[in-house]
């Protein structure tokens, strides 16, 4: 019991010593650890309590006696505030501790349809965007085959359902319309251009309505000399150093059906 005590010690020869002792009370302190809900809206959070000082065994009380138990771990909790008090075997109690469980961010999903350049192209593609939950994310189109990449290719046109899951196995789904481009697959070349710096038809370049690769474009003058070579279909020929006249062009490429193609023709450079 706490308080001040006087103790007399008397030896065999009658010598007496008076000793004073003060027994104080050590404050009990409570601490907590929170494991949040695994998914939004789930009630699987955990609060672990710890106590310093006091005399075991302890009684653990939650929300003013709604739950009383002899174990320091409280489970199956949802987001919200909880009050705790711990009482030891001598009836001493800790101050009330308020612990808040923060709700896990909801797992959300959306998708972007990447429209192919033409109706026969095979590169209909979809990009899935996930937010919230607990990354990393995994993506699927059928709930069986999962991947870490959020891009899906070679898709058929029409409605497409897609799914996402995170490291805690939370799931979300969505639906998107995979569109079909009505343009015919082809590469069109202008028959004239005017590199005069007015911002209109200044560059001779292909208009591409296909998913191509291995592209090459060559330009020849009337003497058969090659004056331009490029493997970048976006670059185009400026013709700034050439005179007005007719020039021959040749392009080669591999189309969306993996077929090698070659086109050639002439273009008028107009000053």
């Amino acid at each position: 019991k706490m308080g001040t005590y006087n103790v007399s010690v008397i030896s065999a020869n009658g010598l007496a010593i008076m000793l004073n002792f003060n027994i104080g009370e050590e404050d009990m302190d409570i601490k907590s650890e929170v494991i949040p809900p695994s998914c939004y809206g789930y009630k699987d959070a955990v609060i672990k309590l710890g106590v310093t000082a006091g005399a075991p065994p302890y009684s653990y009380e939650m929300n003013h006696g709604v739950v009383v138990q002899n174990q320091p771990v409280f489970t199956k909790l949802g987001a919200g505030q909880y009050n705790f008090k711990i009482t030891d075997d001598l009836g001493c109690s800790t101050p009330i501790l308020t612990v808040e469980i923060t709700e896990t961010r909801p797992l959300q999903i959306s998708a972007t349809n990447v429209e192919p350049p033409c109706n026969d192209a095979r590169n209909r593609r979809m990009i899935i965007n996930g937010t919230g939950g607990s990354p990393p994310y995994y993506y699927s189109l059928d709930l069986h085959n999962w991947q870490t990449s959020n891009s899906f290719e070679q898709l058929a046109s029409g409605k497409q359902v897609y799914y996402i899951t995170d490291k805690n196995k939370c799931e979300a789904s969505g639906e998107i319309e995979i569109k079909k481009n009505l343009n015919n697959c082809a590469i069109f070349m202008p028959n004239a251009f005017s590199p005069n710096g007015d911002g209109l038809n200044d560059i001779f370049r292909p208009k591409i309505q296909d998913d191509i690769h291995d592209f090459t474009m060559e330009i020849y003058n009337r003497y058969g000399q090659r004056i331009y070579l490029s493997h970048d279909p976006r670059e185009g020929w400026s013709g700034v150093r050439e005179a007005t006249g007719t020039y021959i062009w040749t392009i080669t490429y591999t189309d969306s059906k993996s077929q090698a193609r070659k086109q050639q023709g002439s273009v008028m450079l107009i000053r």
Side-chain angles (χ1 to χ4, degrees):
K1 184 177 181 180
M2 57 179 284
T4 301
Y5 297 87
N6 299 319
V7 178
S8 298
V9 179
I10 302 174
S11 66
N13 58 9
L15 180 64
I17 299 176
M18 180 70 68
L19 300 176
N20 296 323
F21 292 92
N22 183 47
I23 300 178
E25 180 180 9
E26 184 178 2
D27 292 337
M28 294 174 60
D29 189 26
I30 183 173
K31 57 184 179 179
S32 65
E33 177 188 351
V34 176
I35 301 176
S38 59
C39 301
Y40 178 80
Y42 279 28
K43 293 185 177 181
D44 59 355
V46 175
I47 294 179
K48 299 179 180 180
L49 300 179
V51 62
T52 58
Y58 302 102
S59 174
Y60 302 88
E61 177 182 321
M62 183 177 75
N63 291 348
H64 308 291
V66 173
V67 177
V68 179
Q69 61 186 44
N70 59 6
Q71 297 298 324
V73 179
F74 291 80
T75 61
K76 298 181 180 180
L77 303 176
Q81 286 189 343
Y82 298 86
N83 297 316
F84 294 95
K85 185 176 71 172
I86 300 176
T87 303
D88 71 1
D89 194 46
L90 299 177
C92 302
S93 298
T94 64
I96 293 177
L97 174 68
T98 299
V99 180
E100 183 169 2
I101 297 177
T102 302
E103 182 65 272
T104 301
R105 291 193 305 158
L107 181 61
Q108 297 180 323
I109 188 173
S110 63
T112 303
N113 176 32
V114 181
E115 187 175 335
C118 57
N119 54 19
D120 290 333
R122 301 176 181 179
N123 69 334
R124 295 185 183 89
R125 189 161 61 99
M126 175 179 64
I127 299 175
I128 301 175
N129 304 299
T131 59
S134 302
Y137 303 127
Y138 302 89
Y139 309 89
S140 176
L141 300 182
D142 57 11
L143 288 177
H144 298 290
N145 301 295
W146 295 90
Q147 64 184 49
T148 56
S149 171
N150 66 338
S151 177
F152 291 86
E153 301 181 355
Q154 308 296 325
L155 301 175
S157 58
K159 290 184 178 181
Q160 177 66 62
V161 180
Y162 51 91
Y163 306 90
I164 185 175
T165 185
D166 65 6
K167 72 175 184 179
N168 291 333
K169 305 301 182 183
C170 309
E171 292 186 358
S173 64
E175 185 178 279
I176 192 174
E177 181 75 22
I178 304 297
K179 299 179 181 179
K180 181 177 182 179
N181 195 320
L182 300 180
N183 293 325
N184 293 325
C185 295
I187 291 183
F188 301 96
M189 303 295 293
N191 56 18
F193 76 114
S194 55
N196 55 13
D198 64 355
L200 300 173
N201 300 317
D202 286 333
I203 303 295
F204 175 69
R205 64 164 63 94
K207 180 181 179 182
I208 300 175
Q209 292 183 182
D210 200 354
D211 181 24
I212 69 168
H213 53 94
D214 301 329
F215 176 87
T216 298
M217 183 168 75
E218 299 174 280
I219 307 292
Y220 296 87
N221 62 19
R222 61 179 178 173
Y223 303 109
Q225 298 172 321
R226 189 175 69 183
I227 58 175
Y228 177 80
L229 170 66
S230 176
H231 300 290
D232 184 355
R234 298 166 297 181
E235 180 183 273
W237 177 44
S238 66
V240 293
R241 298 181 180 179
E242 307 302 328
T244 297
T246 299
Y247 295 83
I248 303 300
W249 57 264
T250 299
I251 61 171
T252 59
Y253 59 93
T254 302
D255 67 12
S256 58
K257 297 180 180 179
S258 299
Q259 295 181 344
R261 299 287 186 180
K262 181 177 181 178
Q263 296 175 222
Q264 59 184 18
S266 62
V267 58
M268 176 66 71
L269 190 159
I270 303 172
R271 295 289 182 186

